[in-house]
């Protein structure tokens, strides 16, 4: 917003200063004449830059929440920028700019004198180049087609992603021992892991939790939160959270007592507990849990051999020993034991039962009942528990319950109403989450018939974002086209403006590819901004060319003169914006990856849209005007049928 908000003011001040220098008018008269020339361009720029973001505000879901923040902020910025350019900026120009009746307001000596002479010479060379381009427009339209084809190929090659991995200053390590492992074994493994982390120079401290992890609860589960030192103490890439996580996984993998895996938490914690992708294998054909478990094993084996995947694992507790209490219902009825009472007894003793609440020291505490640990140490001890029958007598559980040891899953997952298992993992170094998701989709296609898959968490949002992106770009282009058509009362001029959009997209794609960034949500926001900013440069040229045509100038000469008059403000606004977003592209610290994604794309798009557009926009306008001539205008003729004056010839 900072880079965009000054654009309209730059256009106003530059045009006033140019008229004062060329026509020797005092500031007030120069301001009045300048505003007559550029009000249409300012309104056009504001309409385009606002319209391109408006569709983003109406998208739903998590992606829509991210888009909406950018859309509202930038649209309000555009409106205030136009308001200032049409009110306060002209008043300041008329009041503050100094008038030299001799017409020598611009410096002629020193650095600024050298700069003005150099820029004037460059402008003359630029005008000459544009004249040559307009002589053979077909050749340059072929060059434009090559650029568009290259942009399409780069977009197809760009790896997909949802949100960039951020260095949030901490990461999570999950510890899981074999089923049935005791708490003492888990604590010993946790101490070894903590000792390793505290020996790393980037780590400030570590906190361990035993009995719980994102995989599940149990004595064999643990969780470590590792806090890193401040970002300024970790300036290099080798000190980033990504590097520390990779180093930890390589070292702790050697501990055979447990499965230990470190992960970088997702940038939006509400969408998922862990980073990477969230993959759900589903039994859609009613094959049964055993067939689903076999499919899970096949998927994990294939994932371990795939170069795009790393750390693919079952998200949950593995199958372990369980004690099944099989109730003899006939014998229980014979002994007068009510099944409901029996179930309540088992739930209360071996699970938990809520009793009531009580208040102590201003706090409301909950009372829960459970059998003493001694009662739950062995099946024999459990079966000595007694249950009351209908006559008030007590019956031992051993009379009606038979204990059986078995191996089973501690939790049975269902996703969208279908039996499922959850697999999580990360893209391998050098790959994006989009490429990892594509690899998992390929693995799922090779599984037995009846086994499907779905995405959840951030992976679901990423797939949704990818499907919404084409619609978002299409709606933005349509809205911009309709706004320009209404503004200029023409269907052809919007084509001249929108033909410049692929140039900006080409630059944005090239910039992120060279830097190795993926096509994530923030890059899509930058791409939408590039559409509006690319159109802005085209509007500045086309608006002046149309105005000169209305004054009777020939089409080609009007385009050349418009290019001469608008080169300086185009370069000034573009450079101001590029420098304004430069801190985003080179930032460090928390949230740097998000800023890199949007800053790099917008910078690359703006550079390409400026360097290429100042040469190709004249070709676009000439071609479209010849294909769809407007009423009252004729190429090469003035309004009265006489040859138009070659106003631009004196500047070559």
């Amino acid at each position: 917003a900072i880079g965009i908000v000054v654009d309209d003011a730059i256009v106003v001040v530059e045009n006033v200063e140019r008229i004062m220098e060329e026509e020797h008018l005092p500031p007030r008269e120069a301001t009045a004449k300048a505003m007559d020339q550029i009000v249409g361009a300012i309104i056009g720029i504001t309409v385009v830059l606002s319209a391109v973001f408006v569709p983003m505000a109406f998208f739903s879901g998590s992606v829509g929440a991210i888009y909406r923040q950018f859309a509202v902020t930038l649209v309000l910025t555009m409106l205030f920028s136009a308001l200032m350019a049409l009110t306060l900026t002209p008043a300041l120009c008329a009041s503050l700019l100094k008038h030299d009746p001799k017409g020598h307001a611009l410096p002629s000596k020193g650095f600024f004198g050298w700069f003005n002479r150099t820029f004037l010479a460059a402008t003359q060379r630029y005008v000459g180049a544009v004249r040559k381009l307009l002589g053979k427009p077909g050749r340059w339209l072929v060059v434009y087609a090559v650029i568009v084809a290259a942009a399409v190929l780069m977009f197809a090659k760009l790896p997909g992603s949802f949100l960039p991995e951020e260095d949030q200053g901490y990461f999570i390590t999950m510890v899981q021992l074999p089923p049935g492992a005791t708490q003492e074994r888990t604590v010993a493994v946790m101490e070894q892991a903590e000792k390793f982390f505290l020996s790393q120079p980037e780590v400030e401290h570590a906190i361990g939790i035993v009995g719980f992890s994102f995989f599940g609860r149990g004595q064999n589960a643990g969780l470590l939160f590792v806090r890193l030192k401040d970002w300024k103490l970790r300036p290099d890439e080798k000190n980033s959270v990504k590097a520390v996580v990779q180093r930890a996984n390589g070292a702790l993998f050697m501990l055979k007592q447990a499965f230990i895996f470190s992960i970088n938490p997702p940038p939006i914690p509400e969408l998922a507990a862990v980073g990477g992708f969230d993959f759900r294998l589903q039994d859609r054909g009613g094959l049964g849990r055993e067939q689903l478990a076999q499919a899970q094993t096949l998927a994990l084996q294939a994932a371990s051999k795939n170069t795009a995947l790393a750390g693919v694992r079952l998200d949950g507790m593995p199958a372990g020993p369980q004690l099944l209490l099989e109730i003899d219902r006939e014998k229980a009825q014979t002994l007068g034991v009510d099944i409901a009472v029996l179930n309540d007894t088992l739930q209360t003793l071996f699970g938990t039962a809520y009793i009531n609440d009580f208040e102590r020291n201003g706090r409301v505490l909950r009372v829960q009942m459970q059998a003493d640990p001694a009662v739950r140490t062995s099946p024999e001890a459990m079966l000595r528990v007694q249950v009351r029958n209908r006559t008030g007598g007590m019956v031992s559980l051993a009379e009606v319950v038979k204990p059986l040891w078995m191996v089973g899953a501690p939790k049975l997952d269902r996703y969208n109403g279908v039996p499922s298992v959850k697999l999580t993992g990360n893209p391998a170094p050098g790959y994006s989450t989009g490429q990892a998701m594509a690899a998992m989709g390929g693995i799922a296609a090779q599984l037995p018939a009846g086994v499907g898959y779905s995405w959840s968490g951030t992976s679901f949002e990423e797939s949704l974002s990818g499907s919404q992106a084409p619609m978002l770009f299409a709606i933005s282009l349509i809205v911009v086209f309709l706004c320009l058509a209404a503004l200029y009362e023409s269907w052809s001029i919007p084509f001249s403006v929108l033909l410049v959009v692929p140039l900006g997209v080409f630059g944005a794609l090239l910039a992120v590819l060279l830097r190795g960034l993926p096509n994530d949500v923030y890059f899509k926001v930058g791409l939408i901004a590039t559409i509006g900013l690319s159109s802005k440069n085209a509007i500045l040229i086309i608006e002046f060319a149309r105005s000169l045509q209305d004054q009777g100038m020939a089409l080609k000469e009007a385009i050349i003169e418009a290019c001469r008059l608008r080169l300086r403000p185009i370069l000034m606004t573009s450079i101001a914006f590029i420098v304004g977003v430069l801190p985003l592209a080179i930032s460090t610290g928390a949230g740097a990856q998000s800023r890199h994604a949007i800053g790099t794309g917008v910078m690359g798009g703006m550079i390409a849209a400026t360097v290429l557009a100042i040469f190709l926009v004249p070709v676009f306008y000439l071609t479209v005007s010849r294909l769809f001539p407007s009423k009252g205008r004729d190429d090469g003729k003035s309004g009265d049928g006489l040859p138009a004056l070659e106003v631009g010839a004196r500047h070559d």
Side-chain angles (χ1 to χ4, degrees), residues 122-134 560 651-652:
T123 302
Q124 292 174 349
R125 289 193 294 271
Y126 163 66
V127 171
V130 170
R131 186 179 294 277
K132 292 180 181 178
L133 264 63
L134 296 180
I560 293 172
H651 302 294
D652 292 343

Side-chain angles (χ1 to χ4, degrees), residues 38-39 279 352 363 369 382 387 416 439 590:
I38 61 174
V39 166
F279 181 81
T352 57
R363 297 178 61 189
M369 183 168 64
M382 296 170 66
V387 60
N416 291 335

Side-chain angles (χ1 to χ4, degrees), residues 193-209:
E194 287 180 354
K195 185 177 180 181
F196 167 80
F197 287 126
L198 294 177
S199 66
Q200 303 303 307
E202 299 87 356
V203 174
E204 185 173 349
H205 58 256
I207 300 174
I209 300 173

